[in-house]
Amino acid sequence: MHVDLASIAFWVIAIVLVGASLAVVLQRNIVHAALALIVVFGAAAGIYILLNAEFIAIVQVLIYAGAVTILILFAIMLTQHSMGRNSNPFSTQWWLAALICILLGGGIIYAVGHSVMAIGTATSPVLLAGEGSGVGGTVVRLGQLLYSPFQYSYVLPFEIASVVLLVAIVGAIMIGREEEE
Amino acid sequence: MSDVAIQLIGALIKCVVVIGALLTIFAYMTLIERRVLARFQRRVGPNRAGPFGLLQPLADGMKMAFKEQIIPSKARRFVFLIAPSISVFVALSAFAVVPLGDTTAWGNSVWAHALAPYIADINVGVLYILAISSLAVYGIVLGGWSSGNHYSLLGALRSAAQMVSYEVSIALSLAGVLMFSQTLSMVGIVHAQVNYGIWFILVQPLGFLLYGIAATAEVNRAPFDLPEAEQELVAGYLTEFSGLRWSLYQMAEYINMITVSSIAATLFFGGWTLGGLSGIPGLPIVWYVVKVAIFLFIFMWLRATLPRIRYDQLMRFGWQVLLPLSVLNLLATAVVIAFGWPWWISGVFGLAVLLVGGAVYYARMRRNHPLTQPTQDEIGLLLPQSVRLVHIEAQALATNGTNGAISANGSKGDKSGASAEAVEAGARP
């Protein structure tokens, strides 16, 4: 078996990722579960770096590990008696969840091997655009893909995503607003 | 040796050197800050240990190392123990992409690449710093939460809200520079300034000011040091920490100051460049250090000068002043770039916004707090009896004559004889 630096790094990261993911669902203390979630996001960023997608990796850390998880922690600390030992009790339907996980995992593994969309036969513009861009070209290519008005333009989906965020903000303001008499 | 091995060895050497340098600078920053604050407050400051107090950091370090490390019985032990380390780890990691010097004259050998004066030149450098520093809040939040103390938790939550709010402004205020440099790499941004022939402070004066304010809030320095406001929260998230763990938090704060100063120097002041003087070998790192030192001094200056702002003022300022101005700066820069106008239009626009904003602020402040000199009669009324202001009272005495002053004080009725004596004592040279 051929062993190089990248595959060693992949296996280390993968083991950390799976272990931390299990910790997220198995930890009895919900704050510890949230901490494990940070490790999950960080490890996922590591996988992205191995895939030569530095931009996505950094944004993953910036948004998910940095902002989203801190909001989760914020909500937990403000609303719960988070010092309690058993703040994240097991669901009684864990066997159902395990069954779904096994089915989903099996489906993904099968698809990676047999799907027509599997790597090597893919024809998506994103993959094609990445070709020949060399190391470090992902930021420029990504920007062109997102914003270029003519070819492979993803401006519309991008803007629609921002409208979704706007709806969430307006909703939060409506809920948080004090009632006026 | 293979290229990869050389790269790894080079990176390792640079990491050791940079971490060692940062920790030493941290130790002496505490001394320098205490001396500078003392000068501001007309004190002497620590000068007993060694010449000029140079051994003071060593003494402090020994004291911290031998102090008992108290772990409160209500603390969540594991998180409590690792939280300070998270802070320091994050602070040190963020420094990895800061370019300390020039490499153009170094040739193309493998060793030259391996020992280039930055630990990494990644093509998303600025984003990397933003991402890593967005993790800095965890050290504080987890430290506060795990202490099992309400003051600590409140300080931590304040800190989280503050850092999340001001991060947005930081990113937006840096975006103008990124548009001009056309790259996210810190090394590339310095070279872009060399190519333009100017520092980006001239292009982005507004962006620099916004970044400076937001960065001060981001590193929790005065006047934004609410997370550890001692009048309100004992010491905030630091309350339950003692000994080395407490000094780890201090270390993280100072290293973060160095990092944000380095970003300011690199993005707005050309990093290691200084006109034609950066061509001489060995000098670029000196210019870099000088620029960062100036920013660090400004941090101390602000701490000595400005009172801490209130929490609601902090939030309102961040969201209602800083954020809209950052967006305005970003839009104006985008227009200049899109139409291919020369760079100075962006600079003039930034200066104009600063002038107008300053004028509006000044006018509103003067309307709310009119500028009036207290008259000499009022001085007697304004000062509490315990206060002796030698300058003002001596002046008053010189004009009125000693007897007149005493009789004037006596005629106010509520003044005691002791006050009149104090005035007299103050007037005596």
Side-chain angles (χ1 to χ4, degrees), chain B residues 358-369:
Chain B
V360 168
Y361 173 75
Y362 186 79
R364 284 179 61 174
M365 198 184 70
R366 277 289 158 263
R367 199 182 58 208
N368 294 337
H369 311 280

Side-chain angles (χ1 to χ4, degrees), chain A residues 5 29 31-32 34-35 38 54-55 57-59 61-71 73-74 76-78 82-85 135-140, chain B residues 4 8 74-76 78-79 82 122-124 127-128 130-132 134-135 137-138 141-142 145-149 153 156-158 160-161 164 167 182 184 311:
Chain A
L5 216 58
N29 185 308
V31 174
H32 290 182
L35 292 186
I38 304 171
E54 296 102 337
F55 184 78
I58 295 297
V59 170
V61 174
L62 187 65
I63 305 290
Y64 283 95
V68 170
T69 317
I70 202 71
L71 286 182
L73 275 177
F74 215 101
I76 293 170
M77 287 176 182
L78 281 180
S82 56
M83 301 300 288
R85 293 275 156 191
V135 179
T138 53
V139 180
V140 175
Chain B
V4 176
L8 278 178
K74 273 189 155 184
R76 305 307 307 261
F78 176 68
V79 180
I82 63 164
I122 54 179
N123 67 336
V124 285
L127 270 181
Y128 168 82
L130 291 178
I132 294 293
S134 78
L135 298 180
V137 67
Y138 284 114
V141 167
L142 294 179
W145 171 78
S146 64
S147 297
N149 174 338
L153 184 63
L157 289 180
R158 271 188 181 193
V164 169
E167 250 163 37
Q182 311 247 311
L184 285 168
Y311 187 66

Side-chain angles (χ1 to χ4, degrees), chain B residues 396-419:
Chain B
L397 286 176
T399 51
N400 292 352
T402 313
N403 292 329
I406 289 177
S407 65
N409 276 335
S411 69
K412 292 206 172 78
D414 58 347
K415 296 270 179 189
S416 66
S419 153

Side-chain angles (χ1 to χ4, degrees), chain B residues 137 140-141 144 150-163 216-239 253 308-311 314-315:
Chain B
V137 67
I140 293 177
V141 167
H150 288 299
Y151 288 120
S152 299
L153 184 63
L154 280 177
L157 289 180
R158 271 188 181 193
S159 156
Q162 173 178 338
M163 290 169 94
T216 313
E218 180 77 7
V219 297
N220 293 329
R221 288 284 299 188
F224 300 103
D225 54 346
L226 283 98
E228 43 193 299
E230 62 268 23
Q231 290 90 340
E232 302 156 24
L233 294 170
V234 190
Y237 64 94
L238 283 170
T239 306
E253 178 178 323
R308 181 185 300 127
I309 67 175
R310 267 198 334 258
Y311 187 66
L314 173 93
M315 282 297 152

Side-chain angles (χ1 to χ4, degrees), chain A residues 2-162:
Chain A
H2 178 65
V3 176
D4 59 0
L5 216 58
S7 44
I8 294 173
F10 170 78
W11 284 107
V12 171
I13 293 173
I15 290 169
V16 170
L17 181 57
V18 172
S21 312
L22 285 176
V24 173
V25 285
L26 296 181
Q27 276 284 346
R28 292 304 194 87
N29 185 308
I30 195 158
V31 174
H32 290 182
L35 292 186
L37 193 61
I38 304 171
V39 179
V40 171
F41 288 141
I47 298 277
Y48 289 142
I49 287 180
L50 289 180
L51 293 173
N52 259 345
E54 296 102 337
F55 184 78
I56 302 294
I58 295 297
V59 170
Q60 165 94 2
V61 174
L62 187 65
I63 305 290
Y64 283 95
V68 170
T69 317
I70 202 71
L71 286 182
I72 293 176
L73 275 177
F74 215 101
I76 293 170
M77 287 176 182
L78 281 180
T79 54
Q80 289 212 348
H81 295 287
S82 56
M83 301 300 288
R85 293 275 156 191
N86 200 1
S87 45
N88 190 20
F90 277 148
S91 162
T92 50
Q93 295 180 323
W94 62 270
W95 54 271
L96 188 63
L99 189 69
I100 294 173
C101 286
I102 290 168
L103 283 178
L104 190 62
I108 291 173
I109 291 170
Y110 178 80
V112 166
H114 298 82
S115 163
V116 288
M117 297 294 283
I119 295 174
T121 57
T123 52
S124 93
V126 179
L127 283 178
L128 291 181
E131 278 178 19
S133 60
V135 179
T138 53
V139 180
V140 175
R141 290 303 302 166
L142 215 68
Q144 287 169 347
L145 281 173
L146 268 183
Y147 300 113
S148 107
F150 303 117
Q151 47 176 347
Y152 315 135
S153 178
Y154 288 88
V155 168
L156 196 62
F158 186 78
E159 294 298 332
I160 291 174
S162 66

Side-chain angles (χ1 to χ4, degrees), chain B residues 374-382 400 408 412:
Chain B
T375 61
Q376 280 181 359
D377 279 346
E378 277 175 336
I379 289 173
L381 287 171
L382 284 173
N400 292 352
K412 292 206 172 78

